[in-house]
Amino acid sequence: MKMPSLKPLLIPLTAITAGSAFVSYKLFNFAFKRVDYVPETSKEKQKYADKYYEYVDWFHSVPSEDWYLNEDNPDQKMVATYIPAQTATKKTVIIAHGYKGNRETMANYAKMFRSMGYNVLTPDDRGHGESAGEYISFGWLDRLDYLQWIHRVIEHVGEDSQILLFGVSMGGATVEMLSGERLPDQVKAIIADCGYSSVEEELTYLLKKQYHLPEYPVEPMVSEINKRAAGFGLESASSVKQLAKNQRPILFIHGEKDTYVPANMAYENYHATHAPKQIWIVKNATHAESFWRDPEAYQERIGEFLNTYMK
């Protein structure tokens, strides 16, 4: 019996493979390559723009210092702003910013924590702001930089420092991923606002939600591209896996109506954590909107958590 020719099948199969590779490279370049500007905020948060720029003006006018890691190496230089508290204190918050943001975009949180009596350190992550880096690592490689920032704070403030780790969106995931490392005793607590459960799960979610693309073969291709470009596969970058090793008290905050990082990821992170933990789902809040909906309630809820773990 004569077997049917495979040639008619090979052409569309080759076309599909080539098309998937093209889409994957385009997606990787869009999502993972650095950009030297801050994209416009979402429509639902544009109503807060005037207030946001008031915070930015404060950020640039308040007494501060520029801090550096690897200052003499342009390819590895990291930059941060240190804002001392109005009254001398041993309490410092290290603030991790969101995706394609920078330290300036965390001005509102910086001002809030300073009003609560904290020194504030706000770094630019790899591939963001004034820090070096060709690619965005979504918190995974950034966690190693934050370990260095922690030691820098201890050197500056003293061995009796009390350090709080705080982050929003990608920054929330950054401090969650950092939580699984061997942290100095000076790190007392963590607050993660709308962090994702893993880079792999977040990308898969957005592929379906925003781009109407299947997980396979796009996500594995993007993961392989990132492994070659940045040195790690997306399956490695997991908040859930790191939180399972966490030993610090942690507060999870998440918007109920978050469609960018869905609230179920907050519950995944919460259930993965064995350390003392609290979760606050903010009603009607979208992605990274919890502070803006009611800044006083946000500060009050954080204050309650810190009164328990950072007296």
Side-chain angles (χ1 to χ4, degrees):
M1 179 179 176
K2 185 178 180 181
M3 296 297 292
S5 172
L6 294 178
K7 288 183 179 179
L9 298 176
L10 289 175
I11 295 174
L13 185 61
T14 303
I16 291 170
T17 303
S20 297
F22 175 77
V23 169
S24 299
Y25 272 102
K26 290 282 286 186
L27 182 61
F28 173 79
N29 285 331
F30 173 77
F32 288 79
K33 292 199 79 170
R34 77 173 294 148
V35 293
D36 291 313
Y37 63 91
V38 176
E40 190 176 66
T41 190
S42 59
K43 290 182 179 179
E44 65 266 14
K45 292 201 291 294
Q46 287 179 5
K47 60 188 174 185
Y48 307 118
D50 289 345
K51 190 64 179 176
Y52 166 77
Y53 285 110
E54 288 180 18
Y55 285 115
V56 171
D57 289 341
W58 170 87
F59 185 83
H60 289 293
S61 64
V62 70
S64 65
E65 306 169 8
D66 286 336
W67 284 13
Y68 301 92
L69 299 176
N70 313 312
E71 186 173 2
D72 297 327
N73 187 339
D75 295 329
Q76 297 183 22
K77 185 173 75 171
M78 299 288 120
V79 184
T81 294
Y82 177 76
I83 304 171
Q86 289 178 289
T87 302
T89 181
K90 295 296 182 177
K91 297 189 300 182
T92 304
V93 59
I94 303 177
I95 298 177
H97 65 73
Y99 176 63
K100 294 186 178 179
N102 57 38
R103 61 197 195 274
E104 175 189 280
T105 61
M106 305 304 282
N108 54 314
Y109 303 103
K111 186 174 182 181
M112 178 189 74
F113 280 110
R114 190 169 187 260
S115 74
M116 297 171 74
Y118 283 73
N119 306 309
V120 176
L121 183 68
T122 58
D124 281 344
D125 286 2
R126 298 184 184 204
H128 294 79
E130 295 183 63
S131 288
E134 186 177 350
Y135 300 104
I136 296 168
S137 76
F138 287 85
W140 185 241
L141 300 180
D142 303 299
R143 81 194 196 287
L144 305 177
D145 301 322
Y146 278 81
L147 278 174
Q148 294 188 66
W149 288 124
I150 289 169
H151 287 289
R152 181 68 189 277
V153 168
I154 295 170
E155 290 173 8
H156 183 78
V157 178
E159 290 293 325
D160 53 349
S161 292
Q162 297 183 66
I163 297 173
L164 167 67
L165 304 176
F166 173 87
V168 179
S169 190
M170 185 184 80
T174 300
V175 298
E176 289 166 350
M177 293 175 187
L178 177 58
S179 74
E181 302 302 315
R182 291 175 62 90
L183 298 174
D185 292 340
Q186 289 86 349
V187 177
K188 302 301 182 183
I190 302 169
I191 300 174
D193 187 334
C194 61
Y196 36 79
S197 52
S198 71
V199 177
E200 184 177 48
E201 188 173 353
E202 176 65 9
L203 178 60
T204 299
Y205 169 79
L206 292 178
L207 280 173
K208 296 176 181 178
K209 177 75 175 179
Q210 293 191 355
Y211 302 107
H212 310 292
L213 291 171
E215 175 182 0
Y216 185 84
V218 177
E219 188 280 326
M221 285 187 172
V222 172
S223 182
E224 184 61 30
I225 295 167
N226 190 69
K227 188 180 292 184
R228 296 180 183 185
F232 68 95
L234 302 189
E235 73 283 353
S236 302
S238 171
S239 299
V240 167
K241 291 177 183 177
Q242 289 290 93
L243 285 163
K245 299 182 286 183
N246 172 47
Q247 299 179 4
R248 299 299 190 277
I250 184 167
L251 169 63
F252 299 98
I253 302 172
H254 217 102
E256 177 191 35
K257 294 187 176 179
D258 192 334
T259 58
Y260 188 72
V261 178
N264 68 281
M265 290 192 182
Y267 287 106
E268 283 187 66
N269 292 333
Y270 178 83
H271 291 305
T273 303
H274 307 295
K277 57 188 177 180
Q278 299 177 12
I279 189 168
W280 180 33
I281 304 298
V282 181
K283 289 186 176 182
N284 298 317
T286 60
H287 185 65
E289 194 190 14
S290 297
F291 170 91
W292 297 103
R293 287 191 68 84
D294 191 338
E296 291 183 3
Y298 191 90
Q299 179 172 332
E300 182 179 354
R301 183 65 183 81
I302 283 177
E304 291 172 1
F305 172 76
L306 295 176
N307 286 339
T308 302
Y309 297 108
M310 289 188 69
K311 294 181 181 179

